[in-house]
Amino acid sequence: MALVLEKPVHFFVTLALLVTATACSSRHHAPAQAQRGMYKIGAPYTIDGITYVPTEEFQHTETGVASWYGPGFHGKYTANGEVYDQSERTAAHRTLQMPSVLRVTNLENGQSTIVRVNDRGPFARARILDVSRAAAEELGMVGNGTARVRVEQLEMESQAMKQIALNGGGADEQRSALYKYVAGRRGPPAVSATAQATPPPPPPTPAVTVYPSNPRSPTVAPMEASGGAGAAPSAGTLGNGRPTVASIASSAISPQSMSGFYVQTGAFSTMGNAEKQRSLITSYGSTEISPASSGGREVYRVRLGPYSTQEAAGMVADRLRRSGYGDARVVAD
């Protein structure tokens, strides 16, 4: 009679639990003391029969479907040792180094955001990126769950993130630097008491080209005609119903701000068109609509800034031009 060796049922349960724990991904619960982030590329790995080869890149572009992940992973480890926070603008990519910086644009509604890659995924075959809930909200894709997106790696910001991580900077340091680099800002320059007492004369107002129609891709055209003859202007408006400089300055729409360098994306003869373009570029930095005059008529300039250096403003202008805003240029104020 054959000898049958039997093991208690709990032995197999324990074994199964050990195998499951070993197979878990990096998204496991983090302890109270969060581990600092690190710079990580990683070795090739295989999931569901597909082998992924992580690679250090700085000019990666990609188009495809993105998804988002939130509550189920909040508070767990990401693949580079951080603790996932769904309220931060982060993302999971299958092969890019961690951290790296991406601009993600929802091709279905035009909304965009900037994220820092700190995790691996997604591994559904039809998807190229997993973004956090905060990023998904900015992209307008929370309700649908997925969206077709364009992914553009920001080279300079990704290089900066690499150096911060290599020097031991964790998530907080990287997040702080990201905000700074994305906005192209530095702290305002120190001004001496003498300079404050005797400010230099303002520079001449730069030439203004007026775009009366499409705020996304403006075409140079003459100003549209004013309102009908004999119409009495209302308080705070010109004869054509447009608000005066004084009324704009007292409204919630931003007046002309402090001096520095700005990135101007267009000047429009109507407030409505200026507002439309402003809404399209808010993810690139701090925006404003600034009134000005051109040929004796009021125009509304759409600008980002101010930036303390021309180089910082130039970085933003370059990103705008690469994204289709060909008329973005740096102006001084």
Side-chain angles (χ1 to χ4, degrees), residues 32-310:
Q33 181 64 36
Q35 181 177 340
R36 289 170 63 84
M38 64 184 73
Y39 187 72
K40 183 176 181 180
I41 299 175
Y45 61 97
T46 301
I47 293 181
D48 292 337
I50 300 178
T51 298
Y52 302 96
V53 182
T55 306
E56 182 182 66
E57 296 184 64
F58 294 99
Q59 296 180 328
H60 182 83
T61 59
E62 194 173 1
T63 299
V65 176
S67 50
W68 69 274
Y69 64 118
F73 296 99
H74 185 73
K76 300 178 184 179
Y77 274 147
T78 65
N80 73 337
E82 294 181 18
V83 176
Y84 175 66
D85 184 344
Q86 64 177 343
S87 67
E88 296 294 336
R89 298 178 188 88
T90 57
H93 192 273
R94 293 174 295 197
T95 59
L96 284 174
Q97 71 271 22
M98 300 173 288
S100 54
V101 184
L102 309 175
R103 177 182 300 285
V104 185
T105 302
N106 185 340
L107 298 177
E108 297 166 7
N109 60 18
Q111 295 174 222
S112 67
T113 189
I114 292 177
V115 298
R116 181 172 56 92
V117 175
N118 69 345
D119 206 358
R120 285 284 177 244
F123 299 109
R125 293 175 184 262
R127 300 176 188 175
I128 64 171
L129 195 71
D130 253 350
V131 299
S132 65
R133 182 183 181 93
E137 289 173 349
E138 292 198 348
L139 292 169
M141 56 177 282
V142 172
N144 292 334
T146 61
R148 183 167 175 77
V149 301
R150 180 174 67 248
V151 173
E152 303 166 278
Q153 186 177 18
L154 302 183
E155 180 178 6
M156 187 173 297
E157 288 83 349
S158 294
Q159 291 277 12
M161 288 298 107
K162 174 182 178 179
Q163 294 306 316
I164 291 170
L166 288 176
N167 288 321
D172 290 341
E173 293 91 335
Q174 293 171 24
R175 186 182 307 114
S176 176
L178 179 63
Y179 293 154
K180 172 183 173 182
Y181 282 104
V182 167
R185 289 178 180 270
R186 292 181 177 87
V191 180
S192 66
T194 303
Q196 290 177 348
T198 57
T205 301
V208 176
T209 303
V210 180
Y211 306 107
S213 52
N214 186 348
R216 182 63 177 84
S217 302
T219 303
V220 177
M223 298 274 292
E224 61 263 73
S226 63
S234 60
T237 65
L238 299 175
N240 55 11
R242 301 191 187 98
T244 63
V245 173
S247 65
I248 294 174
S250 62
S251 70
I253 298 171
S254 73
Q256 188 166 335
S257 295
M258 59 185 179
S259 61
F261 294 90
Y262 290 80
V263 177
Q264 182 169 311
T265 60
F268 300 88
S269 55
T270 67
M271 177 65 73
N273 283 333
E275 282 285 13
K276 287 177 183 177
Q277 182 165 92
R278 184 189 185 190
S279 68
L280 292 171
I281 62 172
T282 53
S283 64
Y284 291 80
S286 178
T287 62
E288 69 170 25
I289 295 176
S290 175
S293 296
S294 176
R297 304 291 297 279
E298 280 197 312
V299 295
Y300 307 97
R301 300 177 297 179
V302 180
R303 310 191 304 181
L304 295 98
Y307 305 99
S308 57
T309 67
Q310 186 171 1

